[in-house]
Amino acid sequence: SVRTALNVIYTPSNSNYNGVNGYIDLTLQDVTTLPKQNTGTGALEKYHQLRSVELSAATSIGEKAFHYCEALTTASMPKATSIENFAFAGCKALTTVSMPQITSIGRYAFNSCDALKTASMLLTETLGECAFQNCKILTTANMPIANSIGNNAFSGCSTLATVNMPMATSIGSGAFSACYALTKVSMPKVTSIGNYGFSGCNALTTASMPQATSIGSGAFYGCIALQSLDISSVTKIEKLGTDYGSMFFPAFDNATDPETFKNCDLLLNSALKQYCYDTDGTSQNGP
């Protein structure tokens, strides 16, 4: 019934809506779920006339529910506990998200939400692959109990400056790659960092991951400003990169350039000392 009413103004099969008949602020008080349609399309996918949505009873936001709702600016779902894949992907005008009960965020859920500045989900535990990828002006990610950060979850978030995820134990491949504004990261419980996890974070100065025991290849590739790195739980050199047979790809792929990590104070486990070289580049057992 809601879709039938909305179609009077605009149907998703038409060209992009230009606002000629106005925009809709949609309030649904009794809707509890937003499942996909029988065609596989999201519940309100591509309804470009939606300006805001308030779903006071919804507990689950289905796959592609608001996919490409390009005029949507505000979403309020106070009881929702899960957001499925692609739910808000492509909502390029979305600025405000109020979902205080969300515990899980699916793949690509907020991918390419160009206007989103803050992601504050205090109860979120798991974050899917590419969940906030390419959110161009996202500056803050506050998820204090999140434990799993999916592959490329924040990759391409070029203005992301503040990350609060103290309970994270797993950082997926490329999770924070190309986060050019990120300067400090503290994840005291992280045990694994995927390949290229922080690659291209060229403003990163401090990273503290004292519990990390496994770090993927290129994890800190191109982190040219890095001054302090605590990975003191790593005990084997092969855990500082990826080993493919006879070839080893280190976490610091471009460390052969003497200027790259010139001023980095690297805090390593003493078991790795045998692999280290002194500043003259010849003798082992260096710092």
Side-chain angles (χ1 to χ4, degrees), residues 221-249:
Y221 176 88
C223 294
I224 57 176
L226 199 59
Q227 297 175 7
S228 176
L229 176 62
D230 183 352
I231 47 174
S232 52
S233 289
V234 179
T235 58
K236 295 183 179 180
I237 191 66
E238 56 264 30
K239 295 299 182 182
L240 271 174
T242 304
D243 186 5
Y244 292 105
S246 61
M247 297 184 68
F248 175 68
F249 299 89

Side-chain angles (χ1 to χ4, degrees), residues 262-281:
K262 183 177 181 180
N263 299 313
C264 183
D265 179 15
L266 182 62
L267 187 57
L268 285 170
N269 190 289
S270 58
L272 289 178
K273 196 171 184 179
Q274 60 177 306
Y275 302 110
C276 296
Y277 289 81
D278 210 338
T279 50
D280 61 9

